[in-house]
Amino acid sequence: MNEEQLAAFYAGNARRWETAKREFAEREHGWHFALAPEAGRWADSFAAAEAAATGYAQDPSAWATRLVEQADAAGVILKPEPGRIRSAYAHRDSRTETETAIGFGFSPDSSEVLVVHAGQAVPHNLIAPAVGSDGAAALAVLRAVVDAFATVTAFA
């Protein structure tokens, strides 16, 4: 990448970041996330379908991502505005580089670049016991994801 391309890259990043901050500040509704009343039933059906479809030496992040994306698509996670929840970041052990937690983000449909990051990542030691378990365990992970959105930050 030459200097001109690099300068354009950084300028584009700066524009996206300023747009994300503006889009975040414009929303006055607050960032409230919750689970729908039918979340427990949905988690039971998710766990049953997962048990029938897969073996269980699964990566906790991949399993949690699937859980959250399917719950979001089913309307089980109540969001402050229309949009999509997906995996957005990870925490890693500083020595081994092994992933230790997964963080989620919310992309509002009406935004240009804004992704609202959950203020906390969900640790693998909370997710791992739920992989291949029952609906109550899946529901506990969904609760942890929703709780992680108690504080949020803007990201582009």
Side-chain angles (χ1 to χ4, degrees):
M1 190 179 280
N2 66 34
E3 285 190 36
E4 186 176 305
Q5 291 170 320
L6 191 58
F9 172 79
Y10 285 121
N13 279 349
R15 278 191 302 278
R16 282 188 293 282
W17 179 239
E18 289 305 315
T19 301
K21 289 192 298 188
R22 179 182 42 77
E23 289 178 341
F24 187 83
E26 287 173 349
R27 287 164 165 83
E28 297 178 2
H29 53 56
W31 296 101
H32 304 288
F33 295 80
L35 291 177
E38 67 274 8
R41 263 184 318 208
W42 184 89
D44 288 339
S45 67
F46 173 85
E50 282 285 298
T54 59
Y56 283 101
Q58 289 191 46
D59 169 57
S61 285
W63 183 87
T65 296
R66 191 168 47 257
L67 169 73
V68 170
E69 288 178 354
Q70 288 183 22
D72 184 30
V76 173
I77 301 174
L78 306 176
K79 303 166 289 200
E81 62 181 273
R84 212 177 102 194
I85 297 176
R86 64 178 193 259
S87 169
Y89 61 96
H91 289 187
R92 297 184 187 282
D93 180 274
S94 62
R95 285 180 287 130
T96 65
E97 288 296 315
T98 304
E99 191 173 312
T100 60
I102 182 172
F104 290 90
F106 171 66
S107 299
D109 287 346
S110 64
S111 74
E112 182 181 338
V113 297
L114 177 62
V115 177
V116 178
H117 278 191
Q120 296 179 340
V122 180
H124 281 197
N125 64 6
L126 185 140
I127 299 167
V131 177
S133 191
D134 60 8
L139 183 61
V141 173
L142 286 175
R143 281 193 182 112
V145 170
V146 167
D147 290 348
F149 278 101
T151 59
V152 297
T153 58
F155 195 80

